[in-house]
Amino acid sequence: MHHEGHYTNRTNWLRAAVLGANDGILSTTSLVIGVAAANASRHSVILAALAGLVAGACSMAAGEYVSVSSQTDVETADLNRERMELEATPKQELQELAGIYEKRGLDKDLAFDVAKQLMKYNALEAHARDELGINDMTKPNPLQAAVASAASFISGGILPFLVAALAPIQGMVFYQYGFAIMFLALSGAIAAKMGGSSIYKSIWRICFWGTVAMFMTALVGYIFGVQTS
């Protein structure tokens, strides 16, 4: 049997993992850069990195769980509604499914036969997949997404935290930016490779917007530092 490798079944966990890692790198680095640009002490810089790391991981996990759970609730409601419609008006649902296949290029008789066979096998599954766009491959898992987000945020955020602890306090802003760009480029390359997309496009996109975010926080920190000095 010929086996084809596809990337669609990785969408849910890959999205959460990449989002978490990039956010961990970018938000923690931006926070440290903002504090360091205000001429803060190493203790303040490390404390800011640690606080950002913990708060970000918890926020990512909670936000992802709530978001995916809401999506799951909507899909469940749609499935329940479809199940009732199949019980109440099976003939209309058969015509509706046949119409979907007809629009995809099948002739009328073949579309009707296909719809009839699929509904005989599993009517709800056929309507969920072809009418609602819901299938087991893309069905979200709230707990999986939450754990992946928190773990990946920590894996990304720990990097700028280590830089904050080990790099010279003089020039901390530049050390943070330099290492962050390398980390983000690596994260973008890994995500693109695993997702089967363009590596260069992924790296350019994350590095560009990462630079914008870090520049803005550095500017805020610099202005704050000047005003309070």
mmCIF file of all heavy atoms in Angstrom, residues 19-69:
data_model
loop_
_atom_site.group_PDB
_atom_site.id
_atom_site.type_symbol
_atom_site.label_atom_id
_atom_site.label_comp_id
_atom_site.label_asym_id
_atom_site.label_seq_id
_atom_site.Cartn_x
_atom_site.Cartn_y
_atom_site.Cartn_z
ATOM 1 N N LEU A 19 3.346 28.709 18.173
ATOM 2 C CA LEU A 19 2.868 29.945 18.768
ATOM 3 C C LEU A 19 3.456 30.132 20.158
ATOM 4 O O LEU A 19 3.914 31.216 20.519
ATOM 5 C CB LEU A 19 1.338 29.946 18.833
ATOM 6 C CG LEU A 19 0.697 31.170 19.502
ATOM 7 C CD1 LEU A 19 1.024 32.435 18.728
ATOM 8 C CD2 LEU A 19 -0.813 30.983 19.615
ATOM 9 N N GLY A 20 3.462 29.061 20.946
ATOM 10 C CA GLY A 20 3.987 29.150 22.302
ATOM 11 C C GLY A 20 5.467 29.443 22.338
ATOM 12 O O GLY A 20 5.935 30.288 23.105
ATOM 13 N N ALA A 21 6.251 28.749 21.515
ATOM 14 C CA ALA A 21 7.701 28.950 21.503
ATOM 15 C C ALA A 21 8.058 30.359 21.037
ATOM 16 O O ALA A 21 8.880 31.046 21.659
ATOM 17 C CB ALA A 21 8.361 27.905 20.606
ATOM 18 N N ASN A 22 7.463 30.787 19.948
ATOM 19 C CA ASN A 22 7.744 32.132 19.436
ATOM 20 C C ASN A 22 7.314 33.206 20.424
ATOM 21 O O ASN A 22 8.018 34.200 20.626
ATOM 22 C CB ASN A 22 7.048 32.347 18.096
ATOM 23 C CG ASN A 22 7.686 31.567 16.978
ATOM 24 O OD1 ASN A 22 8.827 31.115 17.102
ATOM 25 N ND2 ASN A 22 6.977 31.396 15.884
ATOM 26 N N ASP A 23 6.161 33.016 21.034
ATOM 27 C CA ASP A 23 5.678 33.994 22.006
ATOM 28 C C ASP A 23 6.569 33.998 23.238
ATOM 29 O O ASP A 23 6.822 35.050 23.834
ATOM 30 C CB ASP A 23 4.233 33.678 22.392
ATOM 31 C CG ASP A 23 3.567 34.847 23.096
ATOM 32 O OD1 ASP A 23 3.949 36.000 22.823
ATOM 33 O OD2 ASP A 23 2.668 34.612 23.913
ATOM 34 N N GLY A 24 7.042 32.809 23.638
ATOM 35 C CA GLY A 24 7.948 32.734 24.776
ATOM 36 C C GLY A 24 9.232 33.496 24.523
ATOM 37 O O GLY A 24 9.717 34.242 25.388
ATOM 38 N N ILE A 25 9.796 33.301 23.354
ATOM 39 C CA ILE A 25 11.018 34.024 22.992
ATOM 40 C C ILE A 25 10.760 35.518 22.899
ATOM 41 O O ILE A 25 11.458 36.336 23.518
ATOM 42 C CB ILE A 25 11.573 33.503 21.650
ATOM 43 C CG1 ILE A 25 12.007 32.047 21.772
ATOM 44 C CG2 ILE A 25 12.758 34.371 21.196
ATOM 45 C CD1 ILE A 25 12.325 31.387 20.437
ATOM 46 N N LEU A 26 9.745 35.873 22.129
ATOM 47 C CA LEU A 26 9.519 37.275 21.789
ATOM 48 C C LEU A 26 9.016 38.098 22.970
ATOM 49 O O LEU A 26 9.536 39.188 23.240
ATOM 50 C CB LEU A 26 8.528 37.360 20.631
ATOM 51 C CG LEU A 26 8.313 38.741 20.017
ATOM 52 C CD1 LEU A 26 9.645 39.358 19.618
ATOM 53 C CD2 LEU A 26 7.387 38.636 18.821
ATOM 54 N N SER A 27 8.014 37.596 23.681
ATOM 55 C CA SER A 27 7.455 38.390 24.772
ATOM 56 C C SER A 27 8.431 38.513 25.936
ATOM 57 O O SER A 27 8.561 39.595 26.528
ATOM 58 C CB SER A 27 6.128 37.784 25.247
ATOM 59 O OG SER A 27 6.329 36.489 25.766
ATOM 60 N N THR A 28 9.139 37.427 26.263
ATOM 61 C CA THR A 28 10.104 37.490 27.360
ATOM 62 C C THR A 28 11.271 38.392 26.994
ATOM 63 O O THR A 28 11.725 39.215 27.801
ATOM 64 C CB THR A 28 10.619 36.080 27.717
ATOM 65 O OG1 THR A 28 9.506 35.217 27.958
ATOM 66 C CG2 THR A 28 11.494 36.133 28.958
ATOM 67 N N THR A 29 11.768 38.248 25.761
ATOM 68 C CA THR A 29 12.859 39.107 25.311
ATOM 69 C C THR A 29 12.435 40.567 25.282
ATOM 70 O O THR A 29 13.182 41.458 25.719
ATOM 71 C CB THR A 29 13.334 38.689 23.905
ATOM 72 O OG1 THR A 29 13.809 37.343 23.951
ATOM 73 C CG2 THR A 29 14.459 39.587 23.428
ATOM 74 N N SER A 30 11.252 40.832 24.758
ATOM 75 C CA SER A 30 10.769 42.206 24.689
ATOM 76 C C SER A 30 10.640 42.812 26.074
ATOM 77 O O SER A 30 10.994 43.984 26.289
ATOM 78 C CB SER A 30 9.410 42.245 23.972
ATOM 79 O OG SER A 30 9.531 41.816 22.640
ATOM 80 N N LEU A 31 10.147 42.019 27.025
ATOM 81 C CA LEU A 31 10.017 42.506 28.395
ATOM 82 C C LEU A 31 11.381 42.829 28.986
ATOM 83 O O LEU A 31 11.580 43.886 29.604
ATOM 84 C CB LEU A 31 9.298 41.459 29.249
ATOM 85 C CG LEU A 31 9.088 41.803 30.727
ATOM 86 C CD1 LEU A 31 8.254 43.068 30.857
ATOM 87 C CD2 LEU A 31 8.411 40.637 31.442
ATOM 88 N N VAL A 32 12.343 41.934 28.790
ATOM 89 C CA VAL A 32 13.689 42.155 29.318
ATOM 90 C C VAL A 32 14.334 43.368 28.649
ATOM 91 O O VAL A 32 14.991 44.188 29.311
ATOM 92 C CB VAL A 32 14.563 40.899 29.110
ATOM 93 C CG1 VAL A 32 16.016 41.187 29.474
ATOM 94 C CG2 VAL A 32 14.034 39.745 29.939
ATOM 95 N N ILE A 33 14.165 43.501 27.347
ATOM 96 C CA ILE A 33 14.731 44.651 26.631
ATOM 97 C C ILE A 33 14.128 45.956 27.145
ATOM 98 O O ILE A 33 14.842 46.949 27.348
ATOM 99 C CB ILE A 33 14.491 44.503 25.115
ATOM 100 C CG1 ILE A 33 15.444 43.454 24.541
ATOM 101 C CG2 ILE A 33 14.687 45.840 24.398
ATOM 102 C CD1 ILE A 33 15.251 43.193 23.063
ATOM 103 N N GLY A 34 12.821 45.953 27.374
ATOM 104 C CA GLY A 34 12.178 47.156 27.888
ATOM 105 C C GLY A 34 12.710 47.554 29.245
ATOM 106 O O GLY A 34 12.963 48.733 29.515
ATOM 107 N N VAL A 35 12.913 46.556 30.121
ATOM 108 C CA VAL A 35 13.442 46.840 31.463
ATOM 109 C C VAL A 35 14.906 47.236 31.387
ATOM 110 O O VAL A 35 15.350 48.188 32.044
ATOM 111 C CB VAL A 35 13.249 45.604 32.370
ATOM 112 C CG1 VAL A 35 13.932 45.822 33.721
ATOM 113 C CG2 VAL A 35 11.773 45.321 32.578
ATOM 114 N N ALA A 36 15.685 46.505 30.581
ATOM 115 C CA ALA A 36 17.117 46.796 30.465
ATOM 116 C C ALA A 36 17.361 48.165 29.853
ATOM 117 O O ALA A 36 18.319 48.858 30.222
ATOM 118 C CB ALA A 36 17.801 45.719 29.628
ATOM 119 N N ALA A 37 16.511 48.570 28.915
ATOM 120 C CA ALA A 37 16.668 49.881 28.275
ATOM 121 C C ALA A 37 16.423 51.021 29.247
ATOM 122 O O ALA A 37 16.837 52.156 28.999
ATOM 123 C CB ALA A 37 15.718 49.995 27.087
ATOM 124 N N ALA A 38 15.767 50.730 30.362
ATOM 125 C CA ALA A 38 15.523 51.743 31.384
ATOM 126 C C ALA A 38 16.650 51.800 32.402
ATOM 127 O O ALA A 38 16.487 52.367 33.489
ATOM 128 C CB ALA A 38 14.204 51.452 32.087
ATOM 129 N N ASN A 39 17.801 51.186 32.039
ATOM 130 C CA ASN A 39 18.986 51.179 32.906
ATOM 131 C C ASN A 39 18.722 50.494 34.241
ATOM 132 O O ASN A 39 19.180 50.945 35.291
ATOM 133 C CB ASN A 39 19.492 52.614 33.149
ATOM 134 C CG ASN A 39 19.935 53.287 31.871
ATOM 135 O OD1 ASN A 39 20.621 52.682 31.051
ATOM 136 N ND2 ASN A 39 19.536 54.542 31.691
ATOM 137 N N ALA A 40 17.971 49.398 34.206
ATOM 138 C CA ALA A 40 17.673 48.652 35.426
ATOM 139 C C ALA A 40 18.863 47.785 35.822
ATOM 140 O O ALA A 40 19.760 47.502 35.029
ATOM 141 C CB ALA A 40 16.442 47.787 35.212
ATOM 142 N N SER A 41 18.849 47.318 37.069
ATOM 143 C CA SER A 41 19.910 46.452 37.569
ATOM 144 C C SER A 41 19.713 45.033 37.036
ATOM 145 O O SER A 41 18.639 44.695 36.530
ATOM 146 C CB SER A 41 19.891 46.433 39.093
ATOM 147 O OG SER A 41 18.666 45.846 39.556
ATOM 148 N N ARG A 42 20.755 44.194 37.183
ATOM 149 C CA ARG A 42 20.626 42.805 36.736
ATOM 150 C C ARG A 42 19.507 42.095 37.491
ATOM 151 O O ARG A 42 18.771 41.297 36.922
ATOM 152 C CB ARG A 42 21.940 42.050 36.932
ATOM 153 C CG ARG A 42 21.843 40.587 36.467
ATOM 154 C CD ARG A 42 23.148 39.855 36.636
ATOM 155 N NE ARG A 42 24.176 40.383 35.778
ATOM 156 C CZ ARG A 42 24.331 40.057 34.495
ATOM 157 N NH1 ARG A 42 23.472 39.224 33.912
ATOM 158 N NH2 ARG A 42 25.309 40.564 33.787
ATOM 159 N N HIS A 43 19.391 42.387 38.793
ATOM 160 C CA HIS A 43 18.336 41.754 39.588
ATOM 161 C C HIS A 43 16.962 42.059 38.993
ATOM 162 O O HIS A 43 16.115 41.171 38.868
ATOM 163 C CB HIS A 43 18.404 42.260 41.036
ATOM 164 C CG HIS A 43 17.284 41.743 41.895
ATOM 165 N ND1 HIS A 43 17.249 40.455 42.380
ATOM 166 C CD2 HIS A 43 16.140 42.359 42.336
ATOM 167 C CE1 HIS A 43 16.144 40.287 43.090
ATOM 168 N NE2 HIS A 43 15.458 41.418 43.083
ATOM 169 N N SER A 44 16.739 43.308 38.612
ATOM 170 C CA SER A 44 15.454 43.699 38.027
ATOM 171 C C SER A 44 15.233 43.029 36.678
ATOM 172 O O SER A 44 14.117 42.615 36.347
ATOM 173 C CB SER A 44 15.389 45.221 37.875
ATOM 174 O OG SER A 44 15.476 45.864 39.134
ATOM 175 N N VAL A 45 16.312 42.933 35.903
ATOM 176 C CA VAL A 45 16.210 42.311 34.590
ATOM 177 C C VAL A 45 15.858 40.827 34.715
ATOM 178 O O VAL A 45 14.978 40.312 34.013
ATOM 179 C CB VAL A 45 17.534 42.492 33.811
ATOM 180 C CG1 VAL A 45 17.536 41.623 32.547
ATOM 181 C CG2 VAL A 45 17.728 43.953 33.444
ATOM 182 N N ILE A 46 16.547 40.123 35.617
ATOM 183 C CA ILE A 46 16.273 38.694 35.820
ATOM 184 C C ILE A 46 14.871 38.488 36.366
ATOM 185 O O ILE A 46 14.146 37.568 35.943
ATOM 186 C CB ILE A 46 17.321 38.078 36.766
ATOM 187 C CG1 ILE A 46 18.698 38.084 36.101
ATOM 188 C CG2 ILE A 46 16.931 36.654 37.158
ATOM 189 C CD1 ILE A 46 19.818 37.579 36.999
ATOM 190 N N LEU A 47 14.468 39.341 37.307
ATOM 191 C CA LEU A 47 13.125 39.229 37.881
ATOM 192 C C LEU A 47 12.056 39.450 36.818
ATOM 193 O O LEU A 47 11.046 38.739 36.773
ATOM 194 C CB LEU A 47 12.954 40.245 39.010
ATOM 195 C CG LEU A 47 11.602 40.215 39.749
ATOM 196 C CD1 LEU A 47 11.371 38.850 40.381
ATOM 197 C CD2 LEU A 47 11.547 41.316 40.796
ATOM 198 N N ALA A 48 12.291 40.409 35.930
ATOM 199 C CA ALA A 48 11.341 40.664 34.846
ATOM 200 C C ALA A 48 11.242 39.462 33.913
ATOM 201 O O ALA A 48 10.153 39.084 33.474
ATOM 202 C CB ALA A 48 11.765 41.905 34.066
ATOM 203 N N ALA A 49 12.389 38.856 33.595
ATOM 204 C CA ALA A 49 12.396 37.684 32.717
ATOM 205 C C ALA A 49 11.653 36.513 33.359
ATOM 206 O O ALA A 49 10.869 35.827 32.693
ATOM 207 C CB ALA A 49 13.834 37.284 32.402
ATOM 208 N N LEU A 50 11.885 36.295 34.648
ATOM 209 C CA LEU A 50 11.218 35.182 35.352
ATOM 210 C C LEU A 50 9.716 35.417 35.443
ATOM 211 O O LEU A 50 8.917 34.501 35.202
ATOM 212 C CB LEU A 50 11.818 35.027 36.746
ATOM 213 C CG LEU A 50 11.249 33.884 37.599
ATOM 214 C CD1 LEU A 50 11.470 32.534 36.915
ATOM 215 C CD2 LEU A 50 11.873 33.894 38.993
ATOM 216 N N ALA A 51 9.337 36.636 35.784
ATOM 217 C CA ALA A 51 7.904 36.961 35.882
ATOM 218 C C ALA A 51 7.220 36.803 34.523
ATOM 219 O O ALA A 51 6.117 36.257 34.424
ATOM 220 C CB ALA A 51 7.733 38.383 36.402
ATOM 221 N N GLY A 52 7.881 37.278 33.480
ATOM 222 C CA GLY A 52 7.311 37.141 32.147
ATOM 223 C C GLY A 52 7.189 35.698 31.715
ATOM 224 O O GLY A 52 6.225 35.309 31.055
ATOM 225 N N LEU A 53 8.178 34.890 32.108
ATOM 226 C CA LEU A 53 8.169 33.468 31.756
ATOM 227 C C LEU A 53 7.006 32.738 32.416
ATOM 228 O O LEU A 53 6.253 32.005 31.754
ATOM 229 C CB LEU A 53 9.498 32.839 32.171
ATOM 230 C CG LEU A 53 9.716 31.365 31.845
ATOM 231 C CD1 LEU A 53 9.667 31.132 30.341
ATOM 232 C CD2 LEU A 53 11.057 30.899 32.401
ATOM 233 N N VAL A 54 6.826 32.947 33.706
ATOM 234 C CA VAL A 54 5.755 32.265 34.445
ATOM 235 C C VAL A 54 4.384 32.769 34.005
ATOM 236 O O VAL A 54 3.470 31.979 33.712
ATOM 237 C CB VAL A 54 5.939 32.453 35.960
ATOM 238 C CG1 VAL A 54 4.753 31.871 36.728
ATOM 239 C CG2 VAL A 54 7.239 31.794 36.431
ATOM 240 N N ALA A 55 4.231 34.075 33.956
ATOM 241 C CA ALA A 55 2.932 34.651 33.583
ATOM 242 C C ALA A 55 2.556 34.283 32.152
ATOM 243 O O ALA A 55 1.396 33.954 31.869
ATOM 244 C CB ALA A 55 2.976 36.172 33.737
ATOM 245 N N GLY A 56 3.532 34.311 31.262
ATOM 246 C CA GLY A 56 3.252 33.990 29.866
ATOM 247 C C GLY A 56 2.834 32.550 29.667
ATOM 248 O O GLY A 56 1.907 32.265 28.903
ATOM 249 N N ALA A 57 3.503 31.623 30.358
ATOM 250 C CA ALA A 57 3.162 30.207 30.236
ATOM 251 C C ALA A 57 1.742 29.941 30.726
ATOM 252 O O ALA A 57 0.967 29.224 30.081
ATOM 253 C CB ALA A 57 4.169 29.352 31.003
ATOM 254 N N CYS A 58 1.409 30.524 31.867
ATOM 255 C CA CYS A 58 0.056 30.338 32.416
ATOM 256 C C CYS A 58 -0.994 30.971 31.502
ATOM 257 O O CYS A 58 -2.060 30.395 31.273
ATOM 258 C CB CYS A 58 -0.029 30.947 33.810
ATOM 259 S SG CYS A 58 0.990 30.124 35.052
ATOM 260 N N SER A 59 -0.684 32.159 30.999
ATOM 261 C CA SER A 59 -1.630 32.851 30.120
ATOM 262 C C SER A 59 -1.846 32.085 28.818
ATOM 263 O O SER A 59 -2.988 31.950 28.354
ATOM 264 C CB SER A 59 -1.104 34.255 29.820
ATOM 265 O OG SER A 59 -1.938 34.919 28.903
ATOM 266 N N MET A 60 -0.770 31.574 28.234
ATOM 267 C CA MET A 60 -0.885 30.826 26.988
ATOM 268 C C MET A 60 -1.727 29.563 27.186
ATOM 269 O O MET A 60 -2.583 29.236 26.368
ATOM 270 C CB MET A 60 0.497 30.451 26.472
ATOM 271 C CG MET A 60 1.250 31.596 25.828
ATOM 272 S SD MET A 60 0.552 32.125 24.250
ATOM 273 C CE MET A 60 0.890 30.678 23.256
ATOM 274 N N ALA A 61 -1.464 28.849 28.273
ATOM 275 C CA ALA A 61 -2.198 27.610 28.530
ATOM 276 C C ALA A 61 -3.683 27.884 28.738
ATOM 277 O O ALA A 61 -4.545 27.215 28.148
ATOM 278 C CB ALA A 61 -1.616 26.903 29.756
ATOM 279 N N ALA A 62 -3.984 28.884 29.564
ATOM 280 C CA ALA A 62 -5.389 29.207 29.842
ATOM 281 C C ALA A 62 -6.094 29.704 28.587
ATOM 282 O O ALA A 62 -7.221 29.291 28.283
ATOM 283 C CB ALA A 62 -5.470 30.249 30.951
ATOM 284 N N GLY A 63 -5.442 30.603 27.872
ATOM 285 C CA GLY A 63 -6.049 31.153 26.671
ATOM 286 C C GLY A 63 -6.288 30.104 25.600
ATOM 287 O O GLY A 63 -7.342 30.083 24.954
ATOM 288 N N GLU A 64 -5.307 29.224 25.406
ATOM 289 C CA GLU A 64 -5.451 28.185 24.394
ATOM 290 C C GLU A 64 -6.545 27.198 24.781
ATOM 291 O O GLU A 64 -7.336 26.764 23.939
ATOM 292 C CB GLU A 64 -4.123 27.450 24.214
ATOM 293 C CG GLU A 64 -4.059 26.561 22.999
ATOM 294 C CD GLU A 64 -4.009 27.333 21.690
ATOM 295 O OE1 GLU A 64 -3.728 28.544 21.722
ATOM 296 O OE2 GLU A 64 -4.261 26.728 20.630
ATOM 297 N N TYR A 65 -6.622 26.851 26.059
ATOM 298 C CA TYR A 65 -7.642 25.899 26.506
ATOM 299 C C TYR A 65 -9.044 26.476 26.298
ATOM 300 O O TYR A 65 -9.941 25.797 25.790
ATOM 301 C CB TYR A 65 -7.433 25.551 27.977
ATOM 302 C CG TYR A 65 -8.362 24.478 28.469
ATOM 303 C CD1 TYR A 65 -8.037 23.133 28.324
ATOM 304 C CD2 TYR A 65 -9.579 24.808 29.062
ATOM 305 C CE1 TYR A 65 -8.902 22.143 28.751
ATOM 306 C CE2 TYR A 65 -10.452 23.823 29.489
ATOM 307 C CZ TYR A 65 -10.099 22.488 29.334
ATOM 308 O OH TYR A 65 -10.973 21.514 29.755
ATOM 309 N N VAL A 66 -9.219 27.734 26.687
ATOM 310 C CA VAL A 66 -10.531 28.371 26.536
ATOM 311 C C VAL A 66 -10.895 28.502 25.060
ATOM 312 O O VAL A 66 -12.037 28.223 24.655
ATOM 313 C CB VAL A 66 -10.533 29.757 27.216
ATOM 314 C CG1 VAL A 66 -11.811 30.522 26.873
ATOM 315 C CG2 VAL A 66 -10.408 29.597 28.729
ATOM 316 N N SER A 67 -9.925 28.913 24.247
ATOM 317 C CA SER A 67 -10.189 29.116 22.817
ATOM 318 C C SER A 67 -10.573 27.810 22.121
ATOM 319 O O SER A 67 -11.576 27.752 21.398
ATOM 320 C CB SER A 67 -8.948 29.712 22.146
ATOM 321 O OG SER A 67 -9.124 29.812 20.756
ATOM 322 N N VAL A 68 -9.791 26.772 22.355
ATOM 323 C CA VAL A 68 -10.056 25.493 21.696
ATOM 324 C C VAL A 68 -11.327 24.856 22.255
ATOM 325 O O VAL A 68 -12.082 24.215 21.518
ATOM 326 C CB VAL A 68 -8.847 24.545 21.838
ATOM 327 C CG1 VAL A 68 -9.151 23.184 21.232
ATOM 328 C CG2 VAL A 68 -7.625 25.154 21.162
ATOM 329 N N SER A 69 -11.568 25.036 23.545
ATOM 330 C CA SER A 69 -12.805 24.508 24.136
ATOM 331 C C SER A 69 -14.029 25.169 23.523
ATOM 332 O O SER A 69 -15.041 24.512 23.264
ATOM 333 C CB SER A 69 -12.803 24.722 25.659
ATOM 334 O OG SER A 69 -11.794 23.958 26.277
#
